[in-house]
Amino acid sequence: MVEDERDGDERPMTPEESLALIATQAEKTRREIGPNPAVLLAVWGLVWLFGFGLIYLSAPPTALMPLWAAGAITVAGFAGAMVYAAIYGIRTSRGVHGPSRLVGAMYGWSWLIAFGGLTVVNTALIRLGLGTELIPLLWSGTSLMLTGLMYLAGGMLWQSRLQYGLGVWIIASGAASVLAGGPYNFLVLSLAGGGGFLVASLVFLVRAR
């Protein structure tokens, strides 16, 4: 009789409650078995913070080390971050099929296509006689604008407010770096750009718990 009364008190779940439960369980599973985006964001944040910071400290008037050495270290750091990002993308796409896999692949290729076109345009402008003092501002400003737009697109695709907000912050940082002028643009990229990635990493880590 007790068992019958208990079963009678339980009501069937509504469609909305069922969908909410499925979404909760799917998110829990993704966090447990999937790669953590917080780590990827932290890697990029540290590369921006120390890489661009090192270039700023190596430029006049501080000139703590040869600028070419700081540039080489920064390039190596970005190359390592790109390798990690590629590994992260491969791990994320494992077991994913159908439209989601196609969207992820198209989004990944969009980064390569966009930055390939950006490289051609910027290189052409330099060859046409762009002033030497404007070259760092050109590369940093246009690269951050494009990066921010890609994060905006990713935020819309996956309905991630955090990713969308990071895109807005990166675009603002890119605009601020150009307004600051050289060599202070590298300081803006280091503190605002790298700091933005690190804050996003921390927010995602807190939300994942």
Side-chain angles (χ1 to χ4, degrees), residues 32-204:
E32 291 177 349
I33 66 175
N36 191 349
V39 178
L40 178 63
L41 293 172
V43 168
W44 281 113
L46 291 174
V47 169
W48 282 46
L49 181 65
F50 291 105
F52 289 124
L54 189 60
I55 292 179
Y56 169 73
L57 293 175
S58 300
T62 53
L64 296 180
M65 66 182 298
L67 191 56
W68 66 264
I73 294 173
T74 302
V75 169
F78 271 92
M82 290 178 183
V83 170
Y84 180 81
I87 296 173
Y88 172 86
I90 293 173
R91 291 179 59 194
T92 303
S93 63
R94 287 177 181 174
V96 179
H97 303 282
S100 296
R101 186 181 184 89
L102 178 60
V103 169
M106 293 175 67
Y107 181 71
W109 279 106
S110 296
W111 282 87
L112 297 177
I113 295 170
F115 272 96
L118 180 69
T119 300
V120 173
V121 171
N122 285 359
T123 302
L125 290 175
I126 294 172
R127 288 181 177 178
L128 289 174
L130 185 70
T132 304
E133 71 281 358
L134 297 179
I135 293 177
L137 299 179
L138 173 69
W139 281 105
S140 63
T142 56
S143 296
L144 262 71
M145 288 295 172
L146 185 54
T147 299
L149 287 174
M150 291 302 299
Y151 272 96
L152 289 180
M156 289 185 290
L157 282 174
W158 289 285
Q159 299 181 2
S160 171
R161 291 186 179 91
L162 176 59
Q163 190 171 354
Y164 194 90
L166 180 59
V168 173
W169 180 258
I170 291 176
I171 291 176
S173 299
S177 70
V178 175
L179 292 175
Y184 301 103
N185 62 311
F186 294 111
L187 182 61
V188 174
L189 296 175
S190 173
L191 299 180
F197 276 106
L198 293 176
V199 170
S201 173
L202 181 60
V203 171
F204 192 95

